Amino acid sequence: SCMKKKILVAVDGSVYSSNSLDYLIRLFRENDAFDIDLFAAVSAGSKDQSWMNEVDPHRIENTVVLQRKAIAAKYLKDARMRLVRNGFAKENITSIVHASSQGITGSIYHFAKENLYDGILVGRRGVGRVGEMLLGSVSADLVRQCHEIPIWIIDGNVTSTRFLLAVHTCIHSLMAADHLSFILKDNPTAEVCIYHSRSAFGSTPSHSSKEEYHHYWGERWCDKNLDLETCLYKAHSQVLIQNGFPKERIIHITPRRGIHPSHDLLRQAKRYQCGTSASGRRPRVDKGLFGGVSDRITRKAQNMAIWLVG
């Protein structure tokens, strides 16, 4: 039996969350390997009444919150029906309304972390019809906060099922390949373009030592596949293939040096008609060049999905 993949989808009733559903449908319709949890976060505290909670935490939820929950439930119901109409099995979809005073981003992040999702899918620049349910700046906040779970950010209308895997010579990049193949291996149409942008990632390998790779992939595997001098193109391909992604749908794009790192990646994605750009990112301690690159790509991408892993 194949391992189920658990995806948390932020829903707010906006056109942006609608774009996310389209993306899911395009990639995963008729695929039973996914459990989709539709998640609507509503804000539980309104400024003027929050003091009441301190007086009596068991006070009946105020009408404002109940209204928000009712509207959220309606959005979730619509989203669920749309997925079912498009070939998702009813029993694989769950709807969750989550009222919390920690803000929308906090809600999504903590819920995802506690429940160990394989990915968080969020539409970008979404302004829900309810002022309280915004996925607008949420995607940017999530990128800053959440490093434990891969984030998939959908901007606009994404039609292509081809992925640009922006690789660089480090552990986190191979982790991204691992995530990509885990999610896509049963997909009948997905293709992966492997591309290293010299301007984005520098031509010198990052500080990962051979030993660090051994720790994750084992010494024998590394001796055979770790091509540090060729930006790990072989290693990334190997990770994809051994996880069941078909070799004939992997495309290698010659590394090149663009002027602006994030422009270069987005330009290659457009040039090769990739709907999604995926990359690994270093842990949050490192505010260096690469952290900057993933933030800028995320800000500038249009009609594209961005997957950030790590």
Side-chain angles (χ1 to χ4, degrees):
S1 72
C2 75
M3 216 171 129
K4 278 268 182 150
K5 303 154 184 75
K6 242 169 66 155
I7 309 301
L8 188 68
V9 182
V11 173
D12 72 346
S14 69
V15 57
Y16 307 98
S17 100
S18 174
N19 286 335
S20 314
L21 294 174
D22 286 344
Y23 183 78
L24 268 185
I25 290 163
R26 206 155 268 138
L27 276 178
F28 307 126
R29 65 191 314 160
E30 325 262 315
N31 185 335
D32 265 350
F34 287 85
D35 280 328
I36 307 292
D37 288 1
L38 301 169
F39 185 88
V42 297
S43 152
S46 58
K47 310 282 176 285
D48 51 334
Q49 286 168 317
S50 54
W51 61 273
M52 284 292 292
N53 297 340
E54 287 153 38
V55 180
D56 176 12
H58 303 295
R59 198 170 52 96
I60 293 154
E61 271 192 300
N62 67 51
T63 42
V64 181
V65 176
L66 289 173
Q67 276 170 333
R68 284 176 196 154
K69 282 180 144 181
I71 292 165
K74 183 191 168 301
Y75 290 152
L76 290 172
K77 189 180 165 201
D78 293 347
R80 185 164 192 256
M81 279 163 55
R82 183 152 155 206
L83 290 178
V84 172
R85 274 200 310 273
N86 284 285
F88 284 78
K90 267 198 194 71
E91 55 277 10
N92 292 347
I93 307 169
T94 309
S95 299
I96 301 151
V97 177
H98 195 258
S100 147
S101 52
Q102 63 193 165
I104 308 293
T105 309
S107 271
I108 296 171
Y109 173 47
H110 292 294
F111 190 85
K113 220 166 67 161
E114 278 158 32
N115 296 286
L116 300 172
Y117 284 89
D118 294 305
I120 302 173
L121 176 65
V122 61
R124 210 232 330 246
R125 294 197 282 240
V127 177
R129 287 189 287 265
V130 188
E132 287 300 322
M133 299 167 67
L134 305 180
L135 293 180
S137 55
V138 168
S139 57
D141 291 346
L142 264 178
V143 169
R144 276 194 293 278
Q145 277 187 32
C146 181
H147 284 248
E148 294 85 349
I149 294 166
I151 306 172
W152 307 349
I153 296 162
I154 312 303
D155 181 278
N157 184 26
V158 181
T159 50
S160 164
T161 55
R162 180 181 276 184
F163 285 69
L164 181 80
L165 177 57
V167 305
H168 55 141
T169 318
C170 80
I171 296 280
H172 314 287
S173 191
L174 286 179
M175 299 287 191
D178 198 63
H179 173 67
L180 207 61
S181 48
F182 171 64
I183 299 292
L184 295 178
K185 62 166 174 250
D186 319 307
N187 185 302
T189 61
E191 298 172 302
V192 176
C193 295
I194 293 179
Y195 176 62
H196 171 80
S197 165
R198 294 206 176 97
S199 56
F201 308 124
S203 38
T204 50
S206 78
H207 315 296
S208 309
S209 64
K210 270 246 160 89
E211 286 61 52
E212 212 181 325
Y213 291 99
H214 291 172
H215 174 70
Y216 288 99
W217 280 275
E219 198 167 337
R220 278 186 53 201
W221 188 91
C222 289
D223 286 347
K224 195 164 160 238
N225 299 303
L226 215 57
D227 52 327
L228 290 168
E229 58 300 323
T230 47
C231 316
L232 298 185
Y233 269 50
K234 181 185 177 193
H236 284 87
S237 304
Q238 201 46 44
V239 167
L240 289 167
I241 292 162
Q242 71 196 26
N243 284 345
F245 192 84
K247 187 179 182 172
E248 58 280 5
R249 287 200 248 129
I250 300 172
I251 299 149
H252 287 190
I253 304 175
T254 315
R256 56 187 295 278
R257 186 183 291 288
I259 318 291
H260 298 291
S262 44
H263 282 214
D264 183 41
L265 289 172
L266 291 172
R267 200 169 54 232
Q268 294 301 324
K270 283 263 183 295
R271 190 175 156 197
Y272 287 87
Q273 290 153 348
C274 299
T276 304
S277 164
S279 54
R281 49 185 191 141
R282 299 191 178 123
R284 46 165 80 77
V285 288
D286 181 358
K287 280 282 167 273
L289 178 66
F290 190 59
V293 173
S294 46
D295 291 345
R296 281 195 299 278
I297 294 173
T298 308
R299 277 203 305 275
K300 289 177 185 159
Q302 287 180 319
N303 292 318
M304 205 172 155
I306 304 292
W307 289 16
L308 299 173
V309 183

